[in-house]
Amino acid sequence: MAARSDAWFRRVGTVSLTTSGGSQVQGFGAVLPWREERADLWGERPHALGRLPGPLYQFVGSFPQLLEAQGAQLTQGEERYRVLGAQEVTLGGCRLFERALLERWVEA
């Protein structure tokens, strides 16, 4: 199923993931605003991780490495995001794609 999900998301865009160790891997998918209205991008949102400050983003695509990448940096184009959590989306026990909750990366 990995080859099929790669084909689904290949035309959407390429993303790269940089882990805390400095290694980089690439995948396919898109970063979208997460359940936010344009006028309501700032503020806190309830989540299983706690109350998260906005704006938050969601990655949807073919990128199995995200499942082990909490805290890593995800880059799409010029934009960078921190991976807050990721999960695999399945149907009937078969992997369809990965989904991750992101926040914009801020340099310390």
mmCIF file of all heavy atoms in Angstrom, residues 64-95:
data_model
loop_
_atom_site.group_PDB
_atom_site.id
_atom_site.type_symbol
_atom_site.label_atom_id
_atom_site.label_comp_id
_atom_site.label_asym_id
_atom_site.label_seq_id
_atom_site.Cartn_x
_atom_site.Cartn_y
_atom_site.Cartn_z
ATOM 1 N N PRO A 64 5.565 7.631 6.304
ATOM 2 C CA PRO A 64 5.582 6.757 7.484
ATOM 3 C C PRO A 64 6.593 7.178 8.552
ATOM 4 O O PRO A 64 6.393 6.898 9.731
ATOM 5 C CB PRO A 64 5.946 5.386 6.910
ATOM 6 C CG PRO A 64 5.642 5.459 5.461
ATOM 7 C CD PRO A 64 5.792 6.892 5.066
ATOM 8 N N GLN A 65 7.651 7.885 8.188
ATOM 9 C CA GLN A 65 8.668 8.305 9.152
ATOM 10 C C GLN A 65 8.119 9.304 10.169
ATOM 11 O O GLN A 65 8.699 9.485 11.240
ATOM 12 C CB GLN A 65 9.878 8.905 8.433
ATOM 13 C CG GLN A 65 10.648 7.921 7.595
ATOM 14 C CD GLN A 65 10.079 7.765 6.183
ATOM 15 O OE1 GLN A 65 8.987 8.225 5.870
ATOM 16 N NE2 GLN A 65 10.826 7.103 5.330
ATOM 17 N N LEU A 66 7.002 9.958 9.862
ATOM 18 C CA LEU A 66 6.401 10.914 10.793
ATOM 19 C C LEU A 66 5.933 10.256 12.087
ATOM 20 O O LEU A 66 5.861 10.902 13.125
ATOM 21 C CB LEU A 66 5.195 11.601 10.147
ATOM 22 C CG LEU A 66 5.465 12.787 9.256
ATOM 23 C CD1 LEU A 66 4.168 13.311 8.690
ATOM 24 C CD2 LEU A 66 6.199 13.875 9.985
ATOM 25 N N LEU A 67 5.617 8.977 12.028
ATOM 26 C CA LEU A 67 5.069 8.279 13.196
ATOM 27 C C LEU A 67 6.061 8.263 14.356
ATOM 28 O O LEU A 67 5.666 8.172 15.510
ATOM 29 C CB LEU A 67 4.651 6.863 12.820
ATOM 30 C CG LEU A 67 3.585 6.782 11.725
ATOM 31 C CD1 LEU A 67 3.336 5.337 11.339
ATOM 32 C CD2 LEU A 67 2.300 7.466 12.152
ATOM 33 N N GLU A 68 7.347 8.350 14.072
ATOM 34 C CA GLU A 68 8.401 8.328 15.101
ATOM 35 C C GLU A 68 9.105 9.671 15.215
ATOM 36 O O GLU A 68 10.225 9.736 15.702
ATOM 37 C CB GLU A 68 9.437 7.248 14.743
ATOM 38 C CG GLU A 68 8.854 5.871 14.528
ATOM 39 C CD GLU A 68 8.276 5.288 15.808
ATOM 40 O OE1 GLU A 68 8.855 5.541 16.883
ATOM 41 O OE2 GLU A 68 7.251 4.609 15.723
ATOM 42 N N ALA A 69 8.463 10.761 14.770
ATOM 43 C CA ALA A 69 9.173 12.033 14.631
ATOM 44 C C ALA A 69 8.627 13.159 15.490
ATOM 45 O O ALA A 69 8.732 14.319 15.114
ATOM 46 C CB ALA A 69 9.150 12.447 13.164
ATOM 47 N N GLN A 70 8.058 12.862 16.636
ATOM 48 C CA GLN A 70 7.526 13.923 17.472
ATOM 49 C C GLN A 70 8.642 14.892 17.846
ATOM 50 O O GLN A 70 9.718 14.492 18.293
ATOM 51 C CB GLN A 70 6.892 13.349 18.725
ATOM 52 C CG GLN A 70 6.176 14.390 19.537
ATOM 53 C CD GLN A 70 5.332 13.781 20.632
ATOM 54 O OE1 GLN A 70 5.130 12.586 20.684
ATOM 55 N NE2 GLN A 70 4.841 14.618 21.493
ATOM 56 N N GLY A 71 8.402 16.188 17.638
ATOM 57 C CA GLY A 71 9.385 17.221 17.926
ATOM 58 C C GLY A 71 10.316 17.536 16.774
ATOM 59 O O GLY A 71 11.074 18.502 16.839
ATOM 60 N N ALA A 72 10.270 16.757 15.705
ATOM 61 C CA ALA A 72 11.149 16.981 14.550
ATOM 62 C C ALA A 72 10.639 18.154 13.716
ATOM 63 O O ALA A 72 9.514 18.621 13.876
ATOM 64 C CB ALA A 72 11.229 15.723 13.696
ATOM 65 N N GLN A 73 11.478 18.608 12.805
ATOM 66 C CA GLN A 73 11.148 19.744 11.940
ATOM 67 C C GLN A 73 10.696 19.240 10.577
ATOM 68 O O GLN A 73 11.419 18.524 9.898
ATOM 69 C CB GLN A 73 12.367 20.639 11.777
ATOM 70 C CG GLN A 73 12.128 21.839 10.921
ATOM 71 C CD GLN A 73 13.378 22.679 10.760
ATOM 72 O OE1 GLN A 73 14.486 22.245 11.044
ATOM 73 N NE2 GLN A 73 13.214 23.884 10.289
ATOM 74 N N LEU A 74 9.493 19.641 10.170
ATOM 75 C CA LEU A 74 8.943 19.306 8.860
ATOM 76 C C LEU A 74 8.999 20.553 7.992
ATOM 77 O O LEU A 74 8.597 21.629 8.441
ATOM 78 C CB LEU A 74 7.494 18.829 9.002
ATOM 79 C CG LEU A 74 6.810 18.412 7.711
ATOM 80 C CD1 LEU A 74 7.211 16.970 7.387
ATOM 81 C CD2 LEU A 74 5.311 18.506 7.843
ATOM 82 N N THR A 75 9.531 20.432 6.783
ATOM 83 C CA THR A 75 9.677 21.582 5.892
ATOM 84 C C THR A 75 8.929 21.324 4.592
ATOM 85 O O THR A 75 9.084 20.270 3.984
ATOM 86 C CB THR A 75 11.167 21.838 5.576
ATOM 87 O OG1 THR A 75 11.879 21.975 6.794
ATOM 88 C CG2 THR A 75 11.343 23.076 4.723
ATOM 89 N N GLN A 76 8.124 22.306 4.186
ATOM 90 C CA GLN A 76 7.483 22.278 2.874
ATOM 91 C C GLN A 76 7.684 23.649 2.255
ATOM 92 O O GLN A 76 7.181 24.644 2.770
ATOM 93 C CB GLN A 76 6.001 21.945 2.959
ATOM 94 C CG GLN A 76 5.379 21.827 1.576
ATOM 95 C CD GLN A 76 3.959 21.314 1.617
ATOM 96 O OE1 GLN A 76 3.170 21.743 2.433
ATOM 97 N NE2 GLN A 76 3.654 20.390 0.740
ATOM 98 N N GLY A 77 8.440 23.680 1.178
ATOM 99 C CA GLY A 77 8.794 24.949 0.558
ATOM 100 C C GLY A 77 9.657 25.760 1.501
ATOM 101 O O GLY A 77 10.654 25.277 2.017
ATOM 102 N N GLU A 78 9.252 26.987 1.787
ATOM 103 C CA GLU A 78 9.990 27.869 2.700
ATOM 104 C C GLU A 78 9.468 27.778 4.132
ATOM 105 O O GLU A 78 10.067 28.349 5.037
ATOM 106 C CB GLU A 78 9.887 29.319 2.216
ATOM 107 C CG GLU A 78 10.508 29.555 0.855
ATOM 108 C CD GLU A 78 12.009 29.354 0.872
ATOM 109 O OE1 GLU A 78 12.675 29.799 1.829
ATOM 110 O OE2 GLU A 78 12.516 28.729 -0.077
ATOM 111 N N GLU A 79 8.354 27.100 4.338
ATOM 112 C CA GLU A 79 7.728 27.037 5.663
ATOM 113 C C GLU A 79 8.240 25.844 6.464
ATOM 114 O O GLU A 79 8.427 24.756 5.924
ATOM 115 C CB GLU A 79 6.202 26.934 5.523
ATOM 116 C CG GLU A 79 5.582 28.089 4.792
ATOM 117 C CD GLU A 79 5.738 29.414 5.533
ATOM 118 O OE1 GLU A 79 5.783 29.422 6.781
ATOM 119 O OE2 GLU A 79 5.829 30.450 4.856
ATOM 120 N N ARG A 80 8.449 26.065 7.773
ATOM 121 C CA ARG A 80 8.928 24.996 8.658
ATOM 122 C C ARG A 80 7.955 24.831 9.818
ATOM 123 O O ARG A 80 7.417 25.820 10.327
ATOM 124 C CB ARG A 80 10.322 25.326 9.172
ATOM 125 C CG ARG A 80 11.335 25.359 8.048
ATOM 126 C CD ARG A 80 12.708 25.631 8.530
ATOM 127 N NE ARG A 80 12.751 26.958 9.146
ATOM 128 C CZ ARG A 80 13.765 27.391 9.867
ATOM 129 N NH1 ARG A 80 14.803 26.629 10.093
ATOM 130 N NH2 ARG A 80 13.746 28.605 10.394
ATOM 131 N N TYR A 81 7.761 23.580 10.240
ATOM 132 C CA TYR A 81 6.807 23.240 11.284
ATOM 133 C C TYR A 81 7.426 22.224 12.234
ATOM 134 O O TYR A 81 8.273 21.435 11.848
ATOM 135 C CB TYR A 81 5.537 22.619 10.677
ATOM 136 C CG TYR A 81 4.910 23.459 9.603
ATOM 137 C CD1 TYR A 81 5.269 23.305 8.265
ATOM 138 C CD2 TYR A 81 3.962 24.421 9.916
ATOM 139 C CE1 TYR A 81 4.698 24.079 7.267
ATOM 140 C CE2 TYR A 81 3.381 25.205 8.926
ATOM 141 C CZ TYR A 81 3.753 25.027 7.605
ATOM 142 O OH TYR A 81 3.194 25.791 6.629
ATOM 143 N N ARG A 82 6.936 22.208 13.492
ATOM 144 C CA ARG A 82 7.326 21.196 14.475
ATOM 145 C C ARG A 82 6.218 20.146 14.513
ATOM 146 O O ARG A 82 5.042 20.486 14.573
ATOM 147 C CB ARG A 82 7.484 21.817 15.855
ATOM 148 C CG ARG A 82 7.871 20.818 16.936
ATOM 149 C CD ARG A 82 7.965 21.434 18.321
ATOM 150 N NE ARG A 82 8.458 22.800 18.345
ATOM 151 C CZ ARG A 82 9.748 23.161 18.330
ATOM 152 N NH1 ARG A 82 10.685 22.234 18.304
ATOM 153 N NH2 ARG A 82 10.095 24.424 18.354
ATOM 154 N N VAL A 83 6.593 18.879 14.505
ATOM 155 C CA VAL A 83 5.630 17.782 14.559
ATOM 156 C C VAL A 83 5.224 17.580 16.017
ATOM 157 O O VAL A 83 6.049 17.257 16.862
ATOM 158 C CB VAL A 83 6.240 16.476 13.995
ATOM 159 C CG1 VAL A 83 5.246 15.332 14.104
ATOM 160 C CG2 VAL A 83 6.688 16.672 12.550
ATOM 161 N N LEU A 84 3.930 17.797 16.323
ATOM 162 C CA LEU A 84 3.416 17.612 17.672
ATOM 163 C C LEU A 84 2.964 16.176 17.908
ATOM 164 O O LEU A 84 3.047 15.668 19.018
ATOM 165 C CB LEU A 84 2.253 18.572 17.936
ATOM 166 C CG LEU A 84 2.593 20.061 17.867
ATOM 167 C CD1 LEU A 84 1.343 20.892 18.065
ATOM 168 C CD2 LEU A 84 3.646 20.412 18.895
ATOM 169 N N GLY A 85 2.462 15.551 16.882
ATOM 170 C CA GLY A 85 1.996 14.169 16.982
ATOM 171 C C GLY A 85 1.579 13.681 15.616
ATOM 172 O O GLY A 85 1.187 14.472 14.763
ATOM 173 N N ALA A 86 1.682 12.385 15.388
ATOM 174 C CA ALA A 86 1.333 11.820 14.079
ATOM 175 C C ALA A 86 0.618 10.495 14.274
ATOM 176 O O ALA A 86 0.816 9.816 15.284
ATOM 177 C CB ALA A 86 2.584 11.626 13.226
ATOM 178 N N GLN A 87 -0.191 10.144 13.302
ATOM 179 C CA GLN A 87 -0.882 8.863 13.330
ATOM 180 C C GLN A 87 -1.091 8.349 11.918
ATOM 181 O O GLN A 87 -1.097 9.113 10.958
ATOM 182 C CB GLN A 87 -2.219 8.976 14.051
ATOM 183 C CG GLN A 87 -3.234 9.848 13.335
ATOM 184 C CD GLN A 87 -4.486 10.039 14.159
ATOM 185 O OE1 GLN A 87 -4.400 10.386 15.329
ATOM 186 N NE2 GLN A 87 -5.626 9.818 13.556
ATOM 187 N N GLU A 88 -1.245 7.056 11.839
ATOM 188 C CA GLU A 88 -1.503 6.386 10.574
ATOM 189 C C GLU A 88 -3.012 6.274 10.396
ATOM 190 O O GLU A 88 -3.726 5.922 11.331
ATOM 191 C CB GLU A 88 -0.871 5.000 10.631
ATOM 192 C CG GLU A 88 -0.915 4.231 9.354
ATOM 193 C CD GLU A 88 -0.155 2.931 9.497
ATOM 194 O OE1 GLU A 88 -0.585 2.067 10.274
ATOM 195 O OE2 GLU A 88 0.871 2.805 8.836
ATOM 196 N N VAL A 89 -3.496 6.584 9.209
ATOM 197 C CA VAL A 89 -4.916 6.443 8.898
ATOM 198 C C VAL A 89 -5.075 5.151 8.118
ATOM 199 O O VAL A 89 -4.388 4.936 7.110
ATOM 200 C CB VAL A 89 -5.428 7.651 8.086
ATOM 201 C CG1 VAL A 89 -6.882 7.466 7.697
ATOM 202 C CG2 VAL A 89 -5.239 8.939 8.878
ATOM 203 N N THR A 90 -5.958 4.285 8.622
ATOM 204 C CA THR A 90 -6.150 2.967 8.003
ATOM 205 C C THR A 90 -7.612 2.757 7.647
ATOM 206 O O THR A 90 -8.509 3.412 8.184
ATOM 207 C CB THR A 90 -5.700 1.840 8.952
ATOM 208 O OG1 THR A 90 -6.497 1.897 10.128
ATOM 209 C CG2 THR A 90 -4.235 1.975 9.313
ATOM 210 N N LEU A 91 -7.838 1.804 6.772
ATOM 211 C CA LEU A 91 -9.182 1.371 6.402
ATOM 212 C C LEU A 91 -9.144 -0.139 6.301
ATOM 213 O O LEU A 91 -8.390 -0.688 5.491
ATOM 214 C CB LEU A 91 -9.605 1.994 5.069
ATOM 215 C CG LEU A 91 -10.987 1.580 4.559
ATOM 216 C CD1 LEU A 91 -12.074 2.074 5.514
ATOM 217 C CD2 LEU A 91 -11.221 2.144 3.170
ATOM 218 N N GLY A 92 -9.895 -0.798 7.142
ATOM 219 C CA GLY A 92 -9.906 -2.264 7.136
ATOM 220 C C GLY A 92 -8.555 -2.861 7.468
ATOM 221 O O GLY A 92 -8.203 -3.920 6.975
ATOM 222 N N GLY A 93 -7.773 -2.158 8.278
ATOM 223 C CA GLY A 93 -6.456 -2.646 8.664
ATOM 224 C C GLY A 93 -5.359 -2.357 7.661
ATOM 225 O O GLY A 93 -4.200 -2.685 7.896
ATOM 226 N N CYS A 94 -5.683 -1.715 6.554
ATOM 227 C CA CYS A 94 -4.681 -1.363 5.534
ATOM 228 C C CYS A 94 -4.340 0.126 5.648
ATOM 229 O O CYS A 94 -5.224 0.966 5.762
ATOM 230 C CB CYS A 94 -5.216 -1.640 4.136
ATOM 231 S SG CYS A 94 -5.467 -3.376 3.799
ATOM 232 N N ARG A 95 -3.059 0.420 5.605
ATOM 233 C CA ARG A 95 -2.583 1.804 5.677
ATOM 234 C C ARG A 95 -3.029 2.578 4.453
ATOM 235 O O ARG A 95 -2.837 2.133 3.326
ATOM 236 C CB ARG A 95 -1.065 1.806 5.770
ATOM 237 C CG ARG A 95 -0.441 3.174 5.688
ATOM 238 C CD ARG A 95 1.084 3.040 5.586
ATOM 239 N NE ARG A 95 1.682 4.279 5.209
ATOM 240 C CZ ARG A 95 1.943 4.650 3.955
ATOM 241 N NH1 ARG A 95 1.655 3.839 2.964
ATOM 242 N NH2 ARG A 95 2.500 5.814 3.693
#
